Amino acid sequence: MDALYASSGEITMPLMHGIGDRVNKPGMLGRHFWGALGPKRRAFAVISPKLCAIRRTGNAPMGTSDERQCGDCTLCCKVMAIEALAKPVGRWCTHCKPGRGCAIYAGRPAECEAFTCLWLADGLLDQRWKPSRSKLVVTTSEDGVEIRCDPGSPNAWRREPYAAEIRAWAEEGERNDMTVVVIIGQRMILVTPEHEFDLGIIGPDERIVRELDGTKVVGATVVRATELDATSDVGGARSTG
């Protein structure tokens, strides 16, 4: 699908191939883990609903494309957790003035300064995807695509044109072993070409396990990391972290 690969100026956006820098330390996306649970079963990291930085190249300013600015959009200040400020997901940051901006912008936390959503970073997503309009903040990690939905509009991702595009990403992702996850507050939904696996609220000590038939995802469950570790120790599964 051509829309999954695009570039604008100095920022390259191969959407399904991990342009988001996954920083494995507290305050970012957490521990990345790969393991296995028997035949055709494979685990991937829980994608914590926290800030995810976009990798940039060249001298392009972080946080903008050549033409785009946040403007009246402040939705990331609601849907993301900000560890430095002890701000949970789904609530407005106390320093945010919705529709106007950040009251401490000059001294904002490093995780906020590093953050850029896909709409802002590149022209890949058109104006309909601007978060203040779509109610969706799209980022990536090395696992795939993450669509964070405004908890005040929990079905925004089901509207068009967003639903069709998300499904197309899921089709491409299944062919390339990438995931598409919709995050609403702390609730996570794994989207595949044929199914939506509503996994509920996933804790930091839990992992999502996909059951695969070839490249097709036929099931998804949530297990405790300790269970996965025990299985890995027995079966010699590989993990990184």
Side-chain angles (χ1 to χ4, degrees), residues 1-8 11-20 54-55 57 118 122 124 140-141 144-145 172 178:
M1 177 181 173
D2 293 341
L4 294 178
Y5 300 89
S7 64
S8 175
I11 301 179
T12 301
M13 293 284 118
L15 187 55
M16 293 302 297
H17 286 273
I19 61 164
I54 298 298
R55 179 184 301 130
T57 59
L118 279 184
D122 196 89
L124 176 63
T140 64
S141 75
V145 180
E172 182 72 10
M178 291 290 186

Side-chain angles (χ1 to χ4, degrees), residues 187-208:
R187 174 185 166 204
M188 295 188 183
I189 302 171
L190 174 64
V191 180
T192 71
E194 297 179 359
H195 301 285
E196 295 171 7
F197 298 97
D198 192 335
L199 302 168
I201 296 174
I202 301 175
D205 62 339
E206 295 178 314
R207 300 289 184 267
I208 304 169

Side-chain angles (χ1 to χ4, degrees), residues 1 3-4 15-16 118 124-125 129 138 145-147 162 164-174 178-180:
M1 177 181 173
L4 294 178
L15 187 55
M16 293 302 297
L118 279 184
L124 176 63
L125 301 179
W129 282 90
V138 183
V145 180
E146 303 160 0
I147 303 102
Y162 317 115
E165 191 73 5
I166 290 169
R167 191 67 62 187
W169 295 342
E171 291 173 357
E172 182 72 10
E174 191 168 81
M178 291 290 186
T179 61
V180 175

Side-chain angles (χ1 to χ4, degrees), residues 60 102 114 154 187 215 224 238:
C102 176
R187 174 185 166 204
T215 62
R224 291 193 175 277
R238 178 178 63 84

